[in-house]
Amino acid sequence: EKINQISTEIDRYKIIIEKAENKIELAENKGANKNDTIQDQIDREQKRIDTAYDRIQPLVAEQQKIIQSEIERKDKKIEPYLAQVSSIDADLATLNDLLNRRDGESIRRLQSIVGTRVDGTYGSRTAKQVENYREGLIAKRESILKWASDFFFHLLKTFLW
């Protein structure tokens, strides 16, 4: 009788185990289906992204061509101003060179450049005129460079923002 009782108990536990295993298998299959569904959604979204990228790519290339041609056009527009800066730099270098020589011919040339009486003597009037001339060149140079900087900032702002 005890054996029958134990056998019945074992059968009952076997049923419980079988039910649990069925539930586990069902849960695993459900999870697999969910994963398959999620992966399908991911694959569909990736295709949409790829399609959108393929459609946008020609537009991006066209925009880059427009930006490049605009930059080239702006470069040509700014060239005369940069040439002015180079000329001012050359004038400042000449001024410094003539000041460093301090011989009579250099002083006369310096005086003719800065617009003072040409006598070959470097006095206070010549010094004042040289300083005014130099400050004028530097101010003009800074003004041109500020304009060029603002111009390029505007160009970047136009295309990047």
Side-chain angles (χ1 to χ4, degrees):
E1 165 131 82
K2 189 81 166 155
I3 292 179
N4 280 339
Q5 198 177 21
I6 292 174
S7 286
T8 305
E9 194 72 23
I10 289 174
D11 288 338
R12 199 171 62 100
Y13 282 119
K14 281 183 182 178
I15 291 172
I16 290 173
I17 290 172
E18 189 176 300
K19 282 183 180 179
E21 286 175 342
N22 286 339
K23 284 183 180 181
I24 289 171
E25 189 176 310
L26 182 64
E28 285 176 345
N29 287 338
K30 225 181 200 181
N33 287 339
K34 277 186 181 179
N35 288 340
D36 289 344
T37 303
I38 291 170
Q39 188 60 47
D40 288 343
Q41 288 175 340
I42 291 170
D43 291 343
R44 277 195 308 275
E45 291 305 316
Q46 186 61 50
K47 283 181 185 177
R48 287 179 54 194
I49 290 168
D50 293 344
T51 302
Y53 181 76
D54 290 342
R55 286 185 306 211
I56 288 174
Q57 194 56 35
L59 298 173
V60 169
E62 182 181 347
Q63 186 179 36
Q64 287 174 336
K65 285 180 189 175
I66 291 169
I67 290 170
Q68 186 59 38
S69 70
E70 190 66 19
I71 288 172
E72 289 169 6
R73 187 175 74 79
K74 299 293 184 182
D75 282 348
K76 288 181 181 165
K77 186 175 181 180
I78 205 166
E79 281 175 10
Y81 297 99
L82 296 178
Q84 280 183 340
V85 169
S86 293
S87 176
I88 290 169
D89 288 342
D91 290 347
L92 288 167
T94 300
L95 200 66
N96 287 334
D97 183 50
L98 293 172
L99 280 169
N100 289 334
R101 288 189 195 170
R102 296 279 182 157
D103 61 81
E105 182 56 36
S106 296
I107 298 298
R108 280 191 281 284
R109 187 165 169 224
L110 178 66
Q111 289 170 330
S112 70
I113 290 173
V114 300
T116 191
R117 188 176 61 163
V118 179
D119 61 7
T121 305
Y122 191 84
S124 61
R125 285 189 183 135
T126 299
K128 180 76 169 148
Q129 196 65 17
V130 166
E131 192 56 35
N132 289 342
Y133 186 79
R134 183 193 321 254
E135 287 174 2
L137 287 175
I138 291 171
K140 186 174 182 182
R141 183 181 191 280
E142 287 175 358
S143 173
I144 292 168
L145 290 176
K146 181 178 180 341
W147 178 87
S149 174
D150 291 347
F151 181 80
F152 275 116
F153 177 75
H154 175 72
L155 177 68
L156 289 174
K157 186 175 149 187
T158 301
F159 289 110
L160 298 178
W161 286 293

